Amino acid sequence: ARGCVDAGIVWIGPPAEAIEAMGSKIEARERMRAAGVPIVPGVTEAVTSADEVRRLGDELGWPIAIKASAGGGGKGLKVVRSSDEAARALESAQREGEEYFSDAAVYVERYLEDPRHVEVQVLADSHGNVIHLGERDCTIQRRHQKLVEETPSPAVDDELREQIGAIAVDAARAVGYQSAGTIEGLLSRDGEYFFLEMNTRIQVEHTVTELVTGLDLVREQVLIAAGETLSIGQDDVELRGHAIECRINAEAAHKN
């Protein structure tokens, strides 16, 4: 807003439209599908009945995952391994979506067994420039909360890095993204990479990317917000060394 700029306050986040679009996983999946970005096989509209869940399970192959459209951190996520579990899992996912995110909408996708969670850091300016800064491996988790972030991923070689980096850039472009952001994805045991969601913000794990690239990502955000072009191009990105971040999570295990 003009008043904020006059007061010396500058918004350094992405456009509101991008945040809104990526806040709905159903809309995000549809946008990515339309842009040719690979998504986990499944639907791009809300599922409302147990019969739909059963049909999709037979079509996609069991197990499947029911996910809250506005969910995250494992909330509103239910793995369904047979048709007998469909009704109960659907009701549970919808209830958690409503309770945690005020949105009961859910969708269904194939459940990938034991994938790696690999995300890509992107930077995008207001002049149409989008680059990626390599990947972070966030596979080690507890209750769907990340415990260890590592870059580069031990499962990603140069060829795959180029491939998933291009996917991340395409995903950011698909929503007109600006600022720093993260494209989260799943890397199957067969080496397939699928878009999972986009975090439209800087993340606590951005520091490992800074260590291997030598870039200050917060500074880049401020420059982008000021209307500057990116300080580097894709060919200038050089990954050096290896970095690991460990996060401490507290829980009352005796209370589950």
Side-chain angles (χ1 to χ4, degrees), residues 98-175:
E98 181 63 40
E99 288 178 355
Y100 289 104
F101 310 103
S102 300
D103 185 352
V106 299
Y107 66 97
V108 169
E109 67 183 23
R110 179 185 298 160
Y111 180 69
L112 300 182
E113 296 278 7
D114 196 28
R116 279 187 175 269
H117 186 127
V118 178
E119 61 188 30
V120 181
Q121 179 74 59
V122 295
L123 284 175
D125 64 23
S126 58
H127 304 278
N129 301 304
V130 186
I131 64 172
H132 73 86
L133 304 176
E135 79 287 347
R136 295 186 292 260
D137 197 311
C138 307
T139 303
I140 300 176
Q141 301 183 12
R142 162 79 169 160
R143 299 181 184 273
H144 302 285
Q145 297 295 324
K146 299 169 186 175
L147 294 180
V148 176
E149 287 100 8
E150 178 178 13
T151 186
S153 167
V156 175
D157 58 18
D158 290 341
E159 182 179 354
L160 182 56
R161 180 169 299 111
E162 184 174 343
Q163 175 189 337
I164 66 177
I167 289 172
V169 167
D170 288 344
R173 289 189 188 280
V175 293

Side-chain angles (χ1 to χ4, degrees), residues 182-249:
T182 300
I183 305 298
E184 300 206 27
L186 297 178
L187 180 63
S188 75
R189 287 183 284 188
D190 298 327
E192 292 182 287
Y193 188 76
F194 300 103
F195 170 87
L196 181 62
E197 63 183 353
M198 182 176 192
N199 287 314
T200 54
R201 61 184 185 275
I202 199 77
Q203 292 182 265
V204 296
E205 54 264 42
H206 77 278
T207 52
V208 293
T209 296
E210 290 183 327
L211 286 170
V212 300
T213 61
L215 288 173
D216 183 333
L217 296 185
V218 176
R219 179 178 184 274
E220 294 298 321
Q221 281 190 296
V222 174
L223 292 175
I224 291 168
E228 300 289 333
T229 58
L230 292 180
S231 63
I232 62 170
Q234 190 64 64
D235 292 341
D236 301 316
V237 177
E238 187 174 355
L239 307 179
R240 295 183 179 180
H242 200 104
I244 296 176
E245 173 182 276
C246 299
R247 291 165 65 179
I248 299 172
N249 289 256

Side-chain angles (χ1 to χ4, degrees), residues 33-140:
R33 184 199 63 77
V37 173
I39 61 174
V40 179
V43 298
T44 56
E45 64 276 338
V47 172
T48 58
S49 73
D51 285 341
E52 287 181 273
V53 174
R54 296 186 187 99
R55 177 183 61 80
L56 288 166
D58 291 338
E59 181 182 309
L60 297 170
W62 303 93
I64 57 174
I66 303 177
K67 293 184 173 182
S69 179
K75 305 297 185 184
L77 164 62
K78 302 298 169 184
V79 179
V80 190
R81 298 191 177 277
S82 70
S83 60
D84 295 338
E85 302 174 8
R88 179 163 44 86
L90 175 63
E91 188 277 332
S92 181
Q94 289 174 324
R95 184 179 65 251
E96 288 189 11
E98 181 63 40
E99 288 178 355
Y100 289 104
F101 310 103
S102 300
D103 185 352
V106 299
Y107 66 97
V108 169
E109 67 183 23
R110 179 185 298 160
Y111 180 69
L112 300 182
E113 296 278 7
D114 196 28
R116 279 187 175 269
H117 186 127
V118 178
E119 61 188 30
V120 181
Q121 179 74 59
V122 295
L123 284 175
D125 64 23
S126 58
H127 304 278
N129 301 304
V130 186
I131 64 172
H132 73 86
L133 304 176
E135 79 287 347
R136 295 186 292 260
D137 197 311
C138 307
T139 303
I140 300 176

